[in-house]
Amino acid sequence: MERPTIPDDRQLLRGILIQDMRQDLRRHLRPMLAWYLLFTAFAVVAAAPLSTWSLAALLHWIERPLAGEFDGLIDIVLALGWLMLAGALALFAVMLQQAGMLLVSASHGCRYRIAAAALRGMLRRAAPLAALTGCQVLAHAVLALPWLVVGIGLYWLLLGNLDPYYVITVQPAALWWFLGGFLPVLAAGLFLHATLYFRWLLATPALVLEGLSPVAALTRSRALTRGRHLRIALLVVGVALAIAALPVLVTLGYDRAATPLLDQIPANRWLVSAGMVGYLTLYAATVLGVLFLGTTANALLVRALFHRLGGVIGVQDADAVPPRPGRFVGGAEAVVLVVALVQATFAVVSMNLGREVTVTAHRGASAVAPENTLAAFEAALDAGADAIEFDVRLSADGAVIVFHDSDFRRMAGDSRAVVDTPLSDMRDIDVGSWFDPVFSGERIPTLAEALDFLDGRAQALVELKPDPGNAQALLDATVAVIEDGGHWDAVILASLSPDLVRAARVVAPQARLALFANAALPGTARRTDFDMLGLNHVRVDASVVADARRRGYLLQVWTVNDPVLMARYMDLGVHDISTDVPAEAVRVRTERAELTDVELLLARLRSWFRR
């Protein structure tokens, strides 16, 4: 066993760690590459599916998909619990990978034998590593509780009576009072979290290399890092930022240097497709190599810190390995390469070459006219929108009116709540002047007036915006208005609440339904009956599009106002784009309709790299 001389802080900062990392990398590069590929295969086959299944099973057990808005304290607690479990599983996967890297770096022998032994060693330590993960996550959760309570208290005290959208868009003085009171508390909380993280940074090598229990490993790490948290933090954060930048630089390099080479391929769809498969396979291999270097650098940094600060590094034996370890690890390498090739082929084959994307005007053409007004609807129709999304609420006397916020503060400077105001009083509220004096006198329409105005010229995507306690009443009143006017053929009912969407299916089984969500967590699509899923566009990627097509529902992205992003989502194959500028989306769609299949393939590739 080797116990090093503990350096002073100046020695640490002069590069001893960097020297150790370079020596370890030179000595163990090939075994670590074999281990990385082996672990990647293990993660694809076992770890990732198991994590996804666990999270989805939890949502099924608690009977809440947690998509859209959170209604009350129970939903907030459940969401935080789900996020804590998701974070714990992610941290556990990182610990497993780091444990294997540490075992490889402390071993001697051929790369296949070491990598295979590391996998067995990792699995043997899985239970204590899971316990170590649980201890750390639980400690951070307890540490987060005070500043979360303070933040929630300040929010309800200063902003609880204000409409959230009003707070975001108008940014009243109460918001700045909230931020002024909460940000110092948050900063102090994050500082404590960071201190705890760096205090326990060396717990994994203590458990793996010294064979300590989870609690003893945490204690050991605390002793080794005492008094050096800041210097360790600067070193670790610096390496982490460099690692995070590498994939971005690779993607930019491929986009700007390599992508134009595909333009030299003859304009034949099959030749271009074959070139793209090879191109994406090479890109995937490059990214895998970059991620390997980043993961290796992080593991070696932790090992060097552990070694130089007094941790005991022993040489691990490599006896407990499967028969023929070369074939064992070689098979894992082959699996990774095959997966990369299959994914590249699937990506090219599934590239959307259709022109069927529709355009929805978000609250009408709300970039050129006041939202949720007949003027905005008229502008959307003039722009060529296929559908118009608008919000409905209940007035004090039970009328269904077209309005987004819970009060009139943002659009009319009136603090009255919608649910407390009768329709007759709303008729006097000017909701156009705030946008532009040209629209002075624009009034709040009722749902019946809006549907009669549209008269089937565009689909009406009616989003239910209930106030506390009136969700069922709003749904019943909305359904009654649609039935009385005979508008079902031109209406889709939508909500951010999965419960309300399910209730709508019961009340109006003939209705087409849409679920809107800021993030659709596992289990949502499986357990909520809808015809369209509307997602915040930042949550949409190729896997989300593929899932929608596999499950047979339409996928909408909202709210997309950048033409470059519009083109990207059209290339991904979404069914509908919701935007404040429908004229721009129609223009982009028209331009893409004029491209050949080969041009569309190349455009899709460029969009893929610029995601």
Side-chain angles (χ1 to χ4, degrees):
M1 303 293 285
E2 179 185 354
R3 186 178 296 275
T5 301
I6 301 177
D8 59 32
D9 292 338
R10 287 179 299 177
Q11 288 177 304
L12 285 173
L13 296 177
R14 277 203 305 262
I16 292 178
L17 290 176
I18 303 301
Q19 179 182 349
D20 288 353
M21 290 170 62
R22 288 177 60 187
Q23 290 176 350
D24 272 343
L25 188 61
R26 186 166 56 248
R27 185 183 305 119
H28 298 109
L29 178 61
R30 295 186 70 187
M32 283 190 165
L33 177 59
W35 158 252
Y36 183 78
L37 293 174
L38 186 62
F39 183 83
T40 300
F42 167 78
V44 170
V45 173
L50 182 60
S51 297
T52 301
W53 177 85
S54 300
L55 295 173
L58 174 64
L59 292 176
H60 178 73
W61 179 67
I62 63 179
E63 287 294 318
R64 289 174 183 267
L66 301 179
E69 295 181 322
F70 299 127
D71 299 322
L73 183 61
I74 293 178
D75 278 356
I76 293 175
V77 171
L78 290 173
L80 290 175
W82 188 93
L83 290 173
M84 189 168 71
L85 177 60
L89 289 173
L91 179 60
F92 181 50
V94 170
M95 283 189 174
L96 289 175
Q97 187 180 63
Q98 190 177 85
M101 287 284 192
L102 291 169
L103 290 172
V104 169
S105 67
S107 302
H108 297 302
C110 79
R111 59 174 175 154
Y112 296 131
R113 190 176 184 84
I114 292 175
L119 178 63
R120 297 289 284 268
M122 178 202 76
L123 294 175
R124 192 167 60 250
R125 294 168 175 82
L129 284 171
L132 180 62
T133 301
C135 289
Q136 295 197 30
V137 171
L138 184 60
H140 281 284
V142 172
L143 193 61
L145 194 59
W147 61 262
L148 279 174
V149 170
V150 171
I152 292 172
L154 285 174
Y155 179 87
W156 287 115
L157 178 65
L158 298 172
L159 303 173
N161 64 332
L162 300 179
D163 184 270
Y165 196 74
Y166 167 79
V167 173
I168 293 171
T169 56
V170 177
Q171 299 178 356
L175 173 63
W176 303 109
W177 281 108
F178 167 76
L179 292 176
F182 179 59
L183 286 181
V185 176
L186 177 62
L190 294 179
F191 175 79
L192 292 176
H193 283 291
T195 300
L196 186 61
Y197 172 80
F198 291 112
R199 176 178 293 175
W200 288 347
L201 180 68
L202 304 181
T204 301
L207 185 150
V208 172
L209 300 177
E210 293 186 347
L212 301 179
S213 68
V215 174
L218 294 173
T219 303
R220 176 73 164 143
S221 178
R222 178 181 180 182
L224 293 175
T225 59
R226 182 177 288 114
R228 291 187 169 91
H229 297 151
L230 179 59
R231 291 173 176 82
I232 291 174
L234 291 174
L235 185 60
V236 171
V237 170
V239 171
L241 291 176
I243 292 172
L246 288 177
V248 177
L249 294 176
V250 168
T251 299
L252 290 175
Y254 268 80
D255 179 35
R256 297 185 180 181
T259 304
L261 295 177
L262 289 173
D263 293 330
Q264 308 304 316
I265 298 177
N268 177 281
R269 178 175 177 179
W270 298 109
L271 288 176
V272 171
S273 297
M276 290 174 67
V277 168
Y279 182 61
L280 291 178
T281 302
L282 180 62
Y283 169 77
T286 305
V287 171
L288 187 67
V290 168
L291 293 176
F292 160 69
L293 290 176
T295 303
T296 302
N298 180 68
L300 293 181
L301 174 61
V302 171
R303 180 179 184 270
L305 277 168
F306 183 71
H307 179 59
R308 288 291 177 173
L309 293 178
V312 176
I313 304 292
V315 176
Q316 307 292 319
D317 61 55
D319 293 330
V321 298
R324 298 178 178 175
R327 293 184 181 181
F328 185 64
V329 179
E333 295 172 347
V335 166
V336 172
L337 293 177
V338 169
V339 167
L341 180 60
V342 170
Q343 287 181 333
T345 303
F346 179 77
V348 173
V349 170
S350 63
M351 284 183 179
N352 177 49
L353 299 181
R355 280 81 170 175
E356 70 276 7
V357 63
T358 55
V359 174
T360 294
H362 179 241
R363 304 179 199 169
S366 52
V368 298
E371 64 184 55
N372 283 328
T373 64
L374 299 184
F377 299 166
E378 185 65 42
L381 292 171
D382 292 341
D386 303 289
I388 296 176
E389 182 271 342
F390 55 85
D391 312 280
V392 293
R393 289 183 177 274
L394 273 185
S395 67
D397 50 355
V400 184
I401 57 103
V402 178
F403 202 73
H404 178 274
D405 296 1
S406 60
D407 58 47
F408 308 105
R409 197 185 309 261
R410 176 172 64 92
M411 296 182 65
D414 189 331
S415 62
R416 287 179 295 175
V418 173
V419 72
D420 296 329
T421 308
L423 178 61
S424 57
D425 290 354
M426 294 184 196
R427 295 298 191 183
D428 298 327
I429 298 177
D430 177 1
V431 291
S433 296
W434 71 275
F435 186 87
D436 191 295
V438 172
F439 297 100
S440 176
E442 196 71 31
R443 303 304 175 188
I444 299 171
T446 64
L447 173 59
E449 291 168 347
L451 294 177
D452 289 341
F453 176 80
L454 293 178
D455 192 27
R457 292 180 289 171
Q459 291 287 310
L461 187 53
V462 182
E463 182 179 351
L464 303 168
K465 287 285 188 184
D467 288 287
N470 76 351
Q472 189 64 47
L474 173 61
L475 173 60
D476 292 339
T478 300
V479 168
V481 171
I482 297 171
E483 288 182 345
D484 290 345
H487 295 294
W488 279 121
D489 289 343
V491 170
I492 301 174
L493 286 180
S495 176
L496 280 159
S497 167
D499 292 335
L500 193 52
V501 171
R502 282 192 288 267
R505 181 62 76 201
V506 175
V507 172
Q510 77 277 27
R512 288 173 294 165
L513 304 176
L515 173 66
F516 290 162
N518 287 297
L521 303 182
T524 299
R526 176 170 55 85
R527 297 182 50 249
T528 303
D529 182 12
F530 53 77
D531 303 292
M532 173 189 284
L533 177 64
L535 278 181
N536 187 319
H537 72 92
V538 300
R539 304 293 184 180
V540 174
D541 56 21
S543 64
V544 173
V545 175
D547 194 51
R549 295 188 180 277
R550 183 174 63 255
R551 296 180 182 275
Y553 57 81
L554 302 178
L555 180 65
Q556 180 198 77
V557 291
W558 53 264
T559 303
V560 187
N561 295 327
D562 182 351
V564 174
L565 289 177
M566 291 176 184
R568 180 191 169 236
Y569 292 120
M570 290 179 188
D571 292 336
L572 278 178
V574 302
H575 300 94
D576 184 82
I577 292 178
S578 180
T579 176
D580 298 325
V581 283
E584 192 68 14
V586 170
R587 180 190 65 79
V588 174
R589 180 178 62 183
T590 302
E591 289 179 353
R592 291 189 116 53
E594 297 171 353
L595 299 177
T596 66
D597 285 354
V598 170
E599 290 171 333
L600 270 178
L601 278 171
L602 295 175
R604 168 65 183 89
L605 182 67
R606 295 187 184 96
S607 295
W608 190 85
F609 274 106
R610 293 168 186 170
R611 65 192 187 278

